[in-house]
Amino acid sequence: NAGVTQTPKFQVLKTGQSMTLQCAQDMNHEYMSWYRQDPGMGLRLIHYSVGAGITDQGEVPNGYNVSRSTTEDFPLRLLSAAPSQTSVYFCASSPTADRSLEKLFFGSGTQLSVL
Amino acid sequence: GENVEQHPSTLSVQEGDSAVIKCTYSDSASNYFPWYKQELGKRPQLIIDIRSNVGEKKDQRIAVTLNKTAKHFSLHITETQPEDSAVYFCAASYPFDSWGKLQFGAGTQVVVTP
């Protein structure tokens, strides 16, 4: 099992550009989520999904879109990148039975810079 | 929603000494409290956790205590070693629909000096 795979690892964008951060898991987890990590602010939830076809907003959803067409994939889209979206992004998944998110598996992260 | 405060933001300890990180939470419905360790450039990894029906849990040199009445929980690291240097995050999971939601603290940078 590869676990949670994120691509790319690093990305530099210009303001206004769009891009998609990819996240895939091969553990058949129902729950998948995206967090952003900023210095002094911990990990903040952007969007999450509890199954294919189901997505919901987290704490900081503005400027980001998600979709969940399959159990395995949960891409995060930035439609028009802004400098405020410079951050490290983590995808995380959790097994079906883990409703308290006790076994949250994180990807390796994407460092995004928006100039 | 839940609000988790974590203190201190940075902690410098001598190798062999103990380190304590404290977190408070606001939602009395929160029922699960994990601690994650993040080494430089790496992903967060779960190191220890505690459920609301338990007051203390130990795993070798690390322990977590929970005071539900006061709504705070703490991470204790004894006999610190250089490899304990990392950022530590506390979190609280509160019920939301049929799933939980994790609210993370801001993190504590721990530096262990030889």
Side-chain angles (χ1 to χ4, degrees):
Chain A
N1 286 355
V4 180
T5 303
Q6 278 184 246
T7 56
K9 289 190 182 301
F10 302 96
Q11 183 71 50
V12 179
L13 293 177
K14 294 181 179 178
T15 297
Q17 285 185 316
S18 63
M19 80 158 296
T20 300
L21 278 63
Q22 302 290 346
C23 176
Q25 51 87 14
D26 60 358
M27 299 173 283
N28 200 33
H29 286 176
E30 273 194 4
Y31 181 92
M32 295 186 74
S33 57
W34 279 101
Y35 288 88
R36 60 176 290 173
Q37 182 178 16
D38 303 292
M41 304 194 75
L43 293 152
R44 293 182 293 168
L45 183 65
I46 305 171
H47 285 285
Y48 67 99
S49 167
V50 298
I54 306 169
T55 63
D56 207 347
Q57 297 180 348
E59 185 182 352
V60 287
N62 292 343
Y64 307 95
N65 279 353
V66 292
S67 60
R68 184 92 180 271
S69 55
T70 67
T71 300
E72 294 78 20
D73 300 297
F74 191 46
L76 179 72
R77 296 184 186 87
L78 284 70
L79 298 178
S80 179
S84 60
Q85 294 178 305
T86 293
S87 187
V88 179
Y89 291 84
F90 286 99
C91 179
S93 71
S94 192
T96 303
D98 175 26
R99 295 299 168 113
S100 293
L101 305 178
E102 294 183 17
K103 293 179 174 61
L104 202 59
F105 290 79
F106 282 91
S108 57
T110 296
Q111 176 119 32
L112 175 68
S113 295
V114 183
L115 306 177
Chain B
E2 175 64 277
N3 182 45
V4 176
E5 295 192 356
Q6 184 172 346
H7 298 281
S9 56
T10 58
L11 182 58
S12 184
V13 296
Q14 288 267 308
E15 183 177 357
D17 287 349
S18 295
V20 180
I21 304 169
K22 297 181 180 179
C23 289
T24 61
Y25 62 99
S26 61
D27 192 336
S28 57
S30 289
N31 55 15
Y32 172 68
F33 307 90
W35 286 88
Y36 285 83
K37 176 183 179 182
Q38 186 181 29
E39 297 175 355
L40 188 63
K42 300 288 182 66
R43 73 193 76 191
Q45 292 196 308
L46 179 70
I47 56 170
I48 195 168
D49 56 8
I50 192 167
R51 295 202 65 85
S52 58
N53 59 350
V54 176
E56 183 176 0
K57 185 176 178 180
K58 287 184 180 179
D59 184 4
Q60 299 182 337
R61 295 186 298 107
I62 60 174
V64 57
T65 58
L66 171 66
N67 184 326
K68 282 195 301 181
T69 304
K71 293 189 201 153
H72 66 70
F73 56 111
S74 300
L75 178 71
H76 304 254
I77 307 173
T78 58
E79 301 172 20
T80 53
Q81 301 168 5
E83 53 264 38
D84 295 328
S85 295
V87 177
Y88 292 81
F89 293 99
C90 64
S93 176
Y94 60 99
F96 187 83
D97 289 339
S98 59
W99 286 79
K101 266 194 174 179
L102 268 180
Q103 185 71 35
F104 285 87
T108 297
Q109 174 80 60
V110 173
V111 178
V112 180
T113 53

